[in-house]
Amino acid sequence: MKCTTLRPTTVITEDGFVLGVQRISSSAAQGDKRQPVFLMHGILSGGDTWLLNSPDQSLGFILADAGYDVWIGNFRTTNFCHGHILYTSKDKEYWDWSFQELAEKDLISMVEYAYKTTNMRLHYIGYSQGTQAALAALSQGMLAERIDKVVMMAPVAYLKHTATPIGILAARLQLDRVFNGLRVFSLNTKTTAGRQYVDILCPAWNDRCFNIWVNSFTGVNCCINASRRAFYDAFETQDTSTKNLRHLAQLYRRGTFAKFDYGADENMRRYGVSFAPDYDLSKVPTGKMLIIHGEKDVLADVDDVSMLKEQLPQGYRSIFIQEYAHIDFIIGYNANTKVYRDILHFLSE
């Protein structure tokens, strides 16, 4: 790795969240006008996931050393969110959001800031819920004028076929609604309460499954360095809202990729129709899009990714990695050769 500079800043969303955004530059860069690349993380994690491996294995550092102007976004309530201008984490309003707000508020605000700062269209690389938010935004005509090339890693839109045992059981038990009834508004598996919720969902034959919950949620990851588990656990997981989980459960139960369902009356007030409208994926520009997914991924399930591809216009490219599950894409020790090399080639074309 060359000498690297990390410059943090903050962006305030339309609804008052103060989001941290980091910018990485490297001594390898030549000239003042470097192509900006914006990285967006997944659920239960933050922007630091792009930097958790060694410099030669972490996409953030790899892109910086390749000469890109790297921007790392952080969604609301994660560790690099700096709170809200009115509410605290003890307030219900602080947690009143799902990926719909991540798309329409957080992502729009951060990308707009990076665009205006650089005066250049950005390349966008999303992972997991970072793809979900981007697809929701792009389907509504947002971001397209600010983004050039798009990479979707382990893309999540539909959840109809998800095979994650914890996710399926939570949806079938309607645990998201139970949380709402109990006035539990957030989830973080690093907290005592969060660990207890995970244990509730464990199979009956395993009375304490917290240590294996990751595989139960994402699939059996092939390529994570087990000796670094304690290091990863020091940073992840990070907070999400139970309303976000309710929205994901809605997608699973109905087999749709749609906005949050508030009920007929509130839907009419918000959307002008009595139902939660589907995101129109036929409006997503795909001429400069690369989709990368894995066979062992039970969160971005192969059949669900196929449904996504069927709804998108033709023009995208696709790479399929047989041995990869969900987290391999972000902290796999061989992701630099299995995934990131192809991303660099795609961006440089």
Side-chain angles (χ1 to χ4, degrees):
M1 182 186 71
K2 312 299 187 296
C3 180
T4 301
T5 303
L6 183 65
R7 289 173 286 172
T9 189
T10 57
V11 174
I12 300 178
T13 67
E14 177 186 302
D15 56 349
F17 279 94
V18 184
L19 308 179
V21 177
Q22 289 79 40
R23 188 179 186 184
I24 304 177
S25 60
S26 169
S27 61
Q30 299 294 323
D32 296 329
K33 279 291 184 182
R34 294 172 294 124
Q35 172 63 48
V37 180
F38 196 92
L39 307 181
M40 202 66 242
H41 63 81
I43 191 171
L44 290 170
S45 64
D48 51 2
T49 55
W50 301 104
L51 307 172
L52 288 182
N53 275 352
S54 62
D56 64 328
Q57 294 177 343
S58 297
L59 184 57
F61 292 129
I62 290 171
L63 288 167
D65 281 344
Y68 290 99
D69 180 8
V70 180
W71 294 72
I72 299 177
N74 295 273
F75 284 136
R76 59 185 62 193
T77 76
T78 58
N79 291 353
F80 292 93
C81 170
H82 301 287
H84 192 278
I85 59 175
L86 295 177
Y87 305 120
T88 74
S89 59
K90 295 180 180 180
D91 297 315
K92 177 182 178 181
E93 293 83 357
Y94 187 80
W95 304 102
D96 187 17
W97 59 268
S98 75
F99 72 79
Q100 187 167 318
E101 283 71 33
L102 303 185
E104 298 173 7
K105 302 291 194 297
D106 294 18
L107 198 54
I108 299 302
S109 298
M110 292 184 288
V111 167
E112 185 68 17
Y113 178 84
Y115 171 79
K116 288 183 176 178
T117 301
T118 62
N119 199 31
M120 295 177 68
R121 293 179 70 182
L122 319 174
H123 294 332
Y124 180 88
I125 301 176
Y127 163 69
S128 188
Q129 194 153 74
T131 69
Q132 190 175 49
L135 289 165
L138 288 166
S139 73
Q140 299 176 89
M142 305 171 184
L143 296 181
E145 295 182 356
R146 302 295 186 247
I147 289 177
D148 187 13
K149 295 183 178 180
V150 176
V151 178
M152 300 287 191
M153 289 200 305
V156 176
Y158 297 99
L159 291 171
K160 180 178 181 179
H161 301 96
T162 184
T164 165
I166 283 183
I168 291 173
L169 187 56
R172 288 178 177 172
L173 291 176
Q174 300 196 9
L175 200 62
D176 52 303
R177 295 177 183 175
V178 173
F179 286 162
N180 189 55
L182 294 173
R183 296 183 61 82
V184 175
F185 304 123
S186 66
L187 178 68
N188 182 333
T189 62
K190 290 178 70 174
T191 66
T192 300
R195 289 175 182 242
Q196 290 173 344
Y197 297 144
V198 171
D199 287 333
I200 290 171
L201 298 173
C202 288
W205 47 263
N206 186 0
D207 60 355
R208 300 294 295 177
C209 79
F210 178 75
N211 287 334
I212 63 167
W213 81 271
V214 172
N215 285 348
S216 297
F217 187 64
T218 67
V220 180
N221 296 278
C222 69
C223 304
I224 296 176
N225 186 341
S227 68
R228 291 177 61 81
R229 175 64 191 269
F231 175 79
Y232 297 142
D233 283 349
F235 295 91
E236 317 299 341
T237 61
Q238 299 181 31
D239 289 314
T240 193
S241 72
T242 52
K243 183 177 179 180
N244 192 28
L245 301 181
R246 289 174 64 196
H247 199 168
L248 298 178
Q250 171 191 313
L251 302 188
Y252 169 75
R253 293 183 189 120
R254 302 180 184 180
T256 62
F257 182 44
K259 294 189 175 186
F260 190 86
D261 190 349
Y262 288 94
D265 291 343
E266 185 64 13
N267 286 343
M268 183 62 71
R269 189 183 74 82
R270 290 173 179 261
Y271 309 134
V273 291
S274 61
F275 54 89
D278 288 345
Y279 290 108
D280 187 354
L281 292 171
S282 69
K283 295 181 178 179
V284 175
T286 61
K288 295 182 179 181
M289 178 180 289
L290 174 64
I291 297 172
I292 311 176
H293 64 116
E295 184 176 24
K296 306 299 183 183
D297 191 338
V298 299
L299 191 56
D301 180 84
V302 172
D303 290 334
D304 286 328
V305 176
S306 294
M307 288 179 64
L308 167 63
K309 291 179 180 180
E310 289 171 3
Q311 296 301 314
L312 290 172
Q314 293 299 308
Y316 60 82
R317 305 183 204 177
S318 182
I319 295 175
F320 182 61
I321 304 177
Q322 287 186 329
E323 65 269 32
Y324 261 32
H326 203 68
I327 299 181
D328 290 315
F329 287 94
I330 197 74
I331 55 174
Y333 56 75
N334 60 357
N336 54 352
T337 57
K338 285 283 187 179
V339 183
Y340 305 157
R341 186 177 295 170
D342 288 318
I343 290 176
L344 287 171
H345 179 72
F346 172 72
L347 296 182
S348 67
E349 290 179 334

